[in-house]
Amino acid sequence: DAKTTQPPSMDCAEGRAANLPCNHSTISGNEYVYWYRQIHSQGPQYIIHGLKNNETNEMASLIITEDRKSSTLILPHATLRDTAVYYCIVGYDKVIFGPGTSLSVIP
Amino acid sequence: GAGVSQTPSNKVTEKGKYVELRCDPISGHTALYWYRQSLGQGPEFLIYFQGTGAADDSGLPNDRFFAVRPEGSVSTLKIQRTERGDSAMYLCASSLTGRLGDEQYFGPGTRLTVT
């Protein structure tokens, strides 16, 4: 499974868009990009996934570059409840978590 | 509907004892996964079931760890001769098919403490 690189931490002002980057330069042709998040003391929560095209759902948008070597998760209007560790994962059936990005939404 | 449930929520055991951790997946989900998470780390993959069979057990750290899913629904993670290093949060997840692009739904976890 391909590895990902994410910044260890980020801050975002409440109400602003949070843009979380992820590099996955060794991704192979049919590996998906998944994003999960984990709020303190809870199990991880699925956010969104994509293969080649940009995706949007009620939680977030996922922008994947044309060469698929990087992606950005966008939370359009961050709230305090979005403070969590965000994991970017690429792979097939099993999900291999890295250390993720700890996002702090600041009032 | 009901999500993934795990029991017990907390388990304290003495070094050398045997423990069983239970996972009830979402009804109808054929794929089930076990992870282990230490403080400050991302979840670490242990094993993945497709139906009753273990499709990938490459993450089990050693032969003290074993998991079963005899009827393709509930799964039990078994740890023999527990060690203090086994202390962690054990997470279970399920997905509808386990195929490409299928999202995983996680349970709240079992916190295991080995004293």
Side-chain angles (χ1 to χ4, degrees):
Chain A
D1 292 326
K3 291 185 177 178
T4 62
T5 303
Q6 299 177 253
S9 64
M10 291 181 64
D11 292 339
C12 178
E14 188 179 16
R16 304 298 292 269
N19 297 280
L20 292 94
C22 180
N23 287 320
H24 32 80
S25 58
T26 59
I27 191 171
S28 60
N30 53 354
E31 285 184 312
Y32 280 75
V33 180
Y34 301 87
W35 283 83
Y36 286 77
R37 74 179 182 184
Q38 189 171 25
I39 296 169
H40 183 62
S41 299
Q42 297 182 21
Q45 176 192 22
Y46 166 82
I47 302 173
I48 199 167
H49 74 275
L51 184 62
K52 296 180 182 177
N53 299 322
N54 298 337
E55 301 287 344
T56 295
N57 62 21
E58 65 279 3
M59 289 182 69
S61 294
L62 174 60
I63 308 298
I64 302 174
T65 57
E66 192 170 343
D67 63 8
R68 304 210 322 126
K69 292 185 177 181
S70 65
S71 61
T72 302
L73 178 75
I74 301 171
L75 309 177
H77 305 287
T79 71
L80 299 179
R81 287 176 294 181
D82 293 322
T83 292
V85 178
Y86 287 76
Y87 299 100
C88 168
I89 298 140
V90 296
Y92 300 102
D93 45 17
K94 66 188 182 188
V95 172
I96 305 295
F97 290 84
T101 294
S102 178
L103 175 68
S104 297
V105 180
I106 301 167
Chain B
V4 177
S5 63
Q6 293 186 245
T7 53
S9 55
N10 281 285
K11 176 72 177 176
V12 181
T13 191
E14 293 180 348
K15 180 176 177 297
K17 299 289 189 183
Y18 167 83
V19 296
E20 290 189 352
L21 312 179
R22 177 186 167 109
C23 172
D24 281 85
I26 293 172
S27 177
H29 280 196
T30 62
L32 185 145
Y33 311 78
W34 283 99
Y35 297 84
R36 175 171 72 173
Q37 186 172 27
S38 300
L39 204 60
Q41 310 275 333
E44 172 193 5
F45 169 79
L46 296 178
I47 186 169
Y48 153 52
F49 286 91
Q50 185 60 259
T52 60
D56 185 341
D57 64 358
S58 61
L60 294 178
N62 52 59
D63 61 6
R64 295 187 298 107
F65 288 74
F66 189 70
V68 296
R69 195 185 184 202
E71 297 178 359
S73 178
V74 170
S75 176
T76 305
L77 178 66
K78 308 181 181 194
I79 310 174
Q80 299 177 321
R81 304 183 304 280
T82 52
E83 300 177 358
R84 293 196 179 89
D86 298 334
S87 296
M89 176 72 82
Y90 288 81
L91 294 162
C92 174
S94 70
S95 68
L96 185 60
T97 67
R99 296 196 193 108
L100 293 179
D102 216 14
E103 61 260 36
Q104 296 184 20
Y105 297 85
F106 282 79
T110 294
R111 180 159 299 284
L112 175 66
T113 303
V114 181
T115 61

